[in-house]
Amino acid sequence: MIEEEVAKLLKLKAQLGPDENKQKFVLKTPKGTRDYSPQQMAVREKVFDVIIRCFKRHGAEVIDTPVFELKETLTGKYGEDSKLIYDLKDQGGELLSLRYDLTVPFARYLAMNKLTNIKRYHIAKVYRRDNPAMTRGRYREFYQCDFDIAGQFDPMIPDAECLKIMCEILSSLQIGNFLVKVNDRRILDGMFAVCGVPDSKFRTICSSVDKLDKVSWEEVKNEMVGEKGLAPEVADRIGDYVQQHGGVSLVEQLLQDPKLSQNKQALEGLGDLKLLFEYLALFGIDDKISFDLSLARGLDYYTGVIYEAVLLQTPAQAGEEPLGVGSVAAGGRYDGLVGMFDPKGRKVPCVGLSIGVERIFSIVEQRLEALEEKVRTTETQVLVASAQKKLLEERLKLVSELWDAGIKAELLYKKNPKLLNQLQYCEEAGIPLVAIIGEQELKDGVIKLRSVATREEVDVRREDLVEEIKRRTNQPLCIC
């Protein structure tokens, strides 16, 4: 009988086919994406809180847009980076793509709703088919934190505020010394024109110049000449300009440049930059700003001032490895983007910035690991505990009272937990207070409130417990 049953099983196995043809299912996240643990999410929430508070301090409203857009909405807006857009499979009539950034959807939103004036922020995930470098905070799915001012205003006032916001956020996050590089697309285009770059090659040469923060001038020149067909003498003339950087004195020097000062576009850009530096000095941040002629920002939609914040050095705390994270914030002026979507081509001038939060998270996480600093993952203020058995009902009543009063409270999900286990849970979770119920406390109408850090215990009348917890955890006594 056993032999017969084994034969039947072997026959069934043969019908299923050989094992080697079956692909083993690998449990992993897709390339360029990651999960976030409670500890990592706690860090992210603190970073987001700093950013959002700054955006709100400057009077911004918040909007949201779909995670995917019509493919034609995104096409032709990103220059050479367009190849990094994720296209979705046709789902019945509409060709769609995942959003590449938050700026183009914002411009579409303005045009669609006929808005000519808004100051908004938007924090959401974007998608790029890039080569991920996870250790440097470079992913295929990542958050962008954008702030933009749309509307017709006097020159450089909104632009200066954007740079002020960028400096406020990076200073508040305490991730190290930083420098904000500033340039203007009109200066770049004027420079290319006086150097002899054909009009048709402006954008492609611009994307080559944009690589100067990562590779040497010789490599950039070889790409311009070898791959993009630029004459070597033209490349040399560009090199004389793009290797210069400084402050307002460089702006004034270039205003006297015999070639550049004859170009209308470059002259406009330099005039605006001079005004910008005046406002930045009034905001007290001109020491953080550098006029850098190599800054090009490869995106096609920029029309005026462009800027990018880089860390001067990564935090070198004890035990930390140097971390090359590159740019941590960037932005610029894009006056023509909304007009691309408007049926009548009406322009809405815009300027904005984007904070590179993923790179900032990488720095903050590494610092916490090096310091072996424990991150609290909950905000629980008090654990409701019992000192004896058969007090579950009393614990449930008390925790409900605390929740109803707006107190963040927990209890262990056991009928009769040991007091030692309850106190240990508080220490592990970082919960600062324990409200202990015992038979004697119930008779006396009090709750024993214990500080986990000092182990000091005091009896608090039940009706005063909420106020005492709020006082000890610095929570406002009223919820307005």
Side-chain angles (χ1 to χ4, degrees), residues 102-361:
L102 301 177
T103 309
V104 171
F106 173 55
R108 189 265 308 148
Y109 173 85
L110 291 177
M112 202 171 102
N113 293 285
K114 295 182 171 57
L115 296 174
T116 56
N117 195 315
I118 188 174
K119 188 192 291 187
R120 81 89 174 87
Y121 76 89
H122 188 185
I123 295 177
K125 285 183 175 180
V126 298
Y127 300 84
R128 296 185 185 179
R129 228 154 35 100
D130 211 342
N131 286 323
M134 311 285 270
T135 53
R136 292 197 294 116
R138 191 167 176 160
Y139 302 93
R140 288 182 165 183
E141 177 194 61
F142 58 95
Y143 272 101
Q144 277 192 342
C145 301
D146 281 20
F147 175 101
D148 292 83
I149 300 169
Q152 192 77 50
F153 303 107
D154 288 340
M156 296 297 106
I157 303 172
D159 310 61
E161 185 175 5
C162 285
L163 287 162
K164 173 71 171 163
I165 289 166
M166 195 181 271
C167 291
E168 280 181 16
I169 289 170
L170 295 176
S171 298
S172 300
L173 291 171
Q174 299 177 338
I175 53 172
N177 292 329
F178 62 90
L179 182 73
V180 183
K181 299 177 184 178
V182 173
N183 199 359
D184 194 297
R185 276 308 261 274
R186 293 166 297 176
I187 299 171
L188 275 170
D189 287 351
M191 178 185 72
F192 291 151
V194 301
C195 288
V197 179
D199 287 2
S200 59
K201 290 191 188 289
F202 272 27
R203 288 294 167 257
T204 187
I205 295 303
C206 202
S207 68
S208 295
V209 171
D210 201 33
K211 295 173 185 172
L212 270 172
D213 62 331
K214 302 178 189 76
V215 298
S216 68
W217 165 247
E218 284 307 313
E219 288 175 81
V220 169
K221 182 186 171 182
N222 289 340
E223 182 182 294
M224 287 177 175
V225 176
E227 292 176 32
K228 298 185 175 177
L230 197 67
E233 62 274 14
V234 173
D236 286 334
R237 286 197 286 269
I238 292 170
D240 292 338
Y241 283 113
V242 297
Q243 293 179 83
Q244 296 185 64
H245 51 84
V248 71
S249 57
L250 178 59
V251 178
E252 287 163 351
Q253 181 191 317
L254 291 172
L255 279 166
Q256 304 304 317
D257 184 273
K259 289 181 185 172
L260 215 51
S261 60
Q262 298 306 307
N263 182 279
K264 185 174 176 253
Q265 268 193 305
L267 211 54
E268 282 176 9
L270 288 164
D272 276 352
L273 272 194
K274 191 179 177 187
L275 184 60
L276 178 68
F277 269 98
E278 285 179 30
Y279 297 152
L280 298 177
L282 293 169
F283 281 152
I285 57 167
D286 52 325
D287 60 324
K288 298 276 189 192
I289 314 293
S290 168
F291 174 30
D292 192 324
L293 280 156
S294 72
L295 180 67
R297 303 283 299 138
L299 301 175
D300 269 8
Y301 51 65
Y302 288 120
T303 56
V305 171
I306 49 176
Y307 34 85
E308 184 170 80
V310 291
L311 293 184
L312 290 177
Q313 57 188 54
T314 53
Q317 306 284 349
E320 278 190 19
E321 287 293 315
L323 184 71
V325 295
S327 163
V328 287
R333 176 160 285 283
Y334 52 101
D335 289 349
L337 190 55
V338 178
M340 290 184 184
F341 297 114
D342 190 279
K344 294 180 181 175
R346 284 171 297 207
K347 291 185 177 182
V348 178
C350 297
V351 64
L353 66 106
S354 186
I355 304 293
V357 280
E358 301 295 348
R359 290 178 171 181
I360 290 167
F361 293 145

